[in-house]
Amino acid sequence: MKKLLKLRGFYLFLGLAGGSFGPYLTLLLVDNGLDSGQIGMLMAIGTLIAIVIQPIWGIISDRYNWTRMVLILSVAVPALLAVFYRSEYFIVLMLVFTLSTIFSSTQAPIADSYAIAAARKAGSTYGSIRLMLSIGAALGAYAGGIYVSAFSVSTIWMPFLFFNLLAVIIALTLPKQAEENHMMSQSFAQGVRQLIKNRVFLAFLGGSFLVNQTMTAFGTYFVLAFQSVGGSTQYAGIALFIASITNVPSMLLASKVIKKLGRERTLLIGALIYVLRWGIQVAFPYPSVMIGVQVLHGLSFGLFYISAVEYVSQITSADMQATGQSIFNMVFSGFAGILGNLLNGFLLNQGGVNAMNLSCVLSSAAGAILLVYVARSSSRKLPVLTSEVGA
């Protein structure tokens, strides 16, 4: 129980840091002279480089039992680099974002491997731990909107640094390795080769990719899009608060839905809610609707992410947990982030909010179709990524 409390505190401070900084980073970059197209290029390049690096983090964590050290670096380095976002030079901004992303890209898979192992040992659920990140993000996003309205956007790195340092302090008290992680006994490449042989798993990755690339339209461009249709920064904070806080009941609900319907069908439900959410914004591109529809964001993301992480954990062996989550995160956040930042940044800059939202409808619908195949194939047993591969 003590470890669960620590992990919940860790996720809470991560949420406070990310919620108060991430949604408003685009405002800072625009304030520094960049447009949405340049922001998309900057973030896509940084994410691409991070993808190349990310498997190394999983290997280091699993093979050398350095999980805690990797987790601490994933939080501390981006926090310390945030002050340099004040630069007006594109090359400096790209370098800072790239370095930050190289370290932060491993944060989710490593933290999730801790949380899943701790939850199972305590008889709890992963969602009951992960929801603290959403609570923190909700409070941070709301406070961030007020902060940016009252102070200069160039100082948003200060609360980001403060909350991340609190998360680092908690991470220092965690054990060196998650309970279920053992010494890695096979190569990363062997694990990838086994997974990609399964068509159902490939469909799962493809569906996750198409659904989550739409999230950059929210995570990266929401504040800019909201302002373009007449919304204020303060009300953007309220919308972000609603989006994050509704994740809390959604993640609690996810465990019950998964038990009743299974992980694959829960994934499909989450994807269909994505389609509905973007469709409403296409039909009614108004600030009030963009605020209210965030309830669907909380519901869709909570159901989708919890079931996706548990799905990956289910088919990944104990000695490959961090690496398995890294493979998923490479696609879910990495490749999807690259496409999303480039595509949605271009569409927002050239075609406006409606063009970006329509693209999100089509992409999430295509992802849902792939997940229909995954759900129909749920009776088939996926091969587990184990140390016996290639033996």
Side-chain angles (χ1 to χ4, degrees):
M1 292 300 294
K2 187 176 180 180
K3 186 174 180 182
L4 289 183
L5 183 62
K6 289 180 180 178
L7 285 169
R8 286 174 178 138
F10 177 78
Y11 274 105
L12 175 65
F13 289 126
L14 279 187
L16 286 167
S20 62
F21 182 77
Y24 305 101
L25 176 58
T26 52
L27 286 184
L28 176 58
L29 296 177
V30 168
D31 189 61
N32 289 342
L34 276 63
D35 60 35
S36 59
Q38 290 175 308
I39 292 171
M41 182 184 301
L42 180 150
M43 293 186 173
I45 293 173
T47 304
L48 177 61
I49 295 173
I51 287 175
V52 177
I53 300 296
Q54 187 172 345
I56 298 175
W57 288 125
I59 294 170
I60 290 173
S61 173
D62 285 332
R63 186 178 292 278
Y64 301 108
N65 286 331
W66 286 358
T67 305
R68 183 177 64 186
M69 179 57 68
V70 173
L71 184 62
I72 290 171
L73 290 174
S74 74
V75 179
V77 174
L80 294 172
L81 289 174
V83 64
F84 295 103
Y85 280 116
R86 299 171 65 186
S87 173
E88 297 180 356
Y89 298 101
F90 182 84
I91 187 64
V92 173
L93 294 171
M94 186 172 70
L95 181 62
V96 171
F97 183 83
T98 299
L99 288 174
S100 295
T101 306
I102 286 174
F103 283 90
S104 65
S105 64
T106 191
Q107 193 178 104
I110 297 297
D112 287 346
S113 68
Y114 262 110
I116 292 171
R120 285 176 178 170
K121 186 174 182 180
S124 183
T125 64
Y126 164 70
S128 68
I129 300 174
R130 176 58 174 74
L131 64 83
M132 296 305 296
L133 183 70
S134 297
I135 292 174
L139 296 173
Y142 178 69
I146 297 174
Y147 183 91
V148 170
S149 297
F151 303 99
S152 171
V153 70
S154 64
T155 63
I156 58 172
W157 62 272
M158 296 175 67
F160 181 68
L161 175 62
F162 174 72
F163 289 123
N164 271 324
L165 289 180
L166 292 178
V168 167
I169 292 172
I170 294 178
L172 287 169
T173 68
L174 295 173
K176 291 183 179 180
Q177 189 78 357
E179 285 96 335
E180 292 186 1
N181 279 19
H182 307 288
M183 290 295 287
M184 184 178 172
S185 53
Q186 66 163 318
S187 72
F188 179 83
Q190 285 176 313
V192 172
R193 279 198 295 270
Q194 183 181 6
L195 281 177
I196 63 176
K197 288 179 182 178
N198 188 277
R199 293 181 180 178
V200 179
F201 186 73
L202 286 179
F204 159 73
L205 290 180
S208 298
F209 171 82
L210 290 169
V211 169
N212 200 57
Q213 77 85 12
T214 70
M215 279 297 294
T216 59
F218 173 75
T220 303
Y221 301 112
F222 175 77
V223 177
L224 293 180
F226 189 71
Q227 288 183 334
S228 73
V229 296
S232 68
T233 304
Q234 187 170 353
Y235 280 107
I238 294 174
L240 293 167
F241 172 82
I242 294 173
S244 295
I245 202 64
T246 50
N247 269 327
V248 176
S250 177
M251 289 184 176
L252 291 174
L253 176 66
S255 297
K256 296 181 180 179
V257 176
I258 288 171
K259 287 181 180 178
K260 186 173 182 179
L261 300 178
R263 296 174 179 86
E264 298 86 353
R265 290 176 178 81
T266 306
L267 275 167
L268 177 58
I269 292 172
L272 292 174
I273 299 174
Y274 270 94
V275 178
L276 176 62
R277 172 253 187 100
W278 292 114
I280 291 173
Q281 291 187 84
V282 169
F284 307 100
Y286 311 117
S288 58
V289 175
M290 291 179 71
I291 293 174
V293 81
Q294 300 312 319
V295 172
L296 293 180
H297 166 81
L299 182 60
S300 60
F301 182 78
L303 291 175
F304 195 93
Y305 187 75
I306 295 298
S307 52
V309 169
E310 292 195 6
Y311 179 82
V312 175
S313 179
Q314 176 193 14
I315 53 89
T316 306
S317 67
D319 65 337
M320 291 285 288
Q321 283 294 304
T323 302
Q325 295 296 341
S326 292
I327 295 170
F328 165 66
N329 203 57
M330 283 171 61
V331 175
F332 187 73
S333 299
F335 292 122
I338 291 173
L339 174 66
N341 280 314
L342 285 174
L343 177 62
N344 294 316
F346 172 79
L347 291 174
L348 180 61
N349 191 43
Q350 299 296 320
V353 175
N354 273 351
M356 182 179 72
N357 289 341
L358 179 59
S359 172
C360 290
V361 172
L362 298 175
S363 182
S364 54
I369 291 172
L370 286 176
L371 293 172
V372 168
Y373 171 71
V374 174
R376 287 183 174 180
S377 305
S378 60
S379 60
R380 303 176 190 175
K381 188 175 181 180
L382 284 173
V384 177
L385 192 156
T386 69
S387 58
E388 298 175 356
V389 177

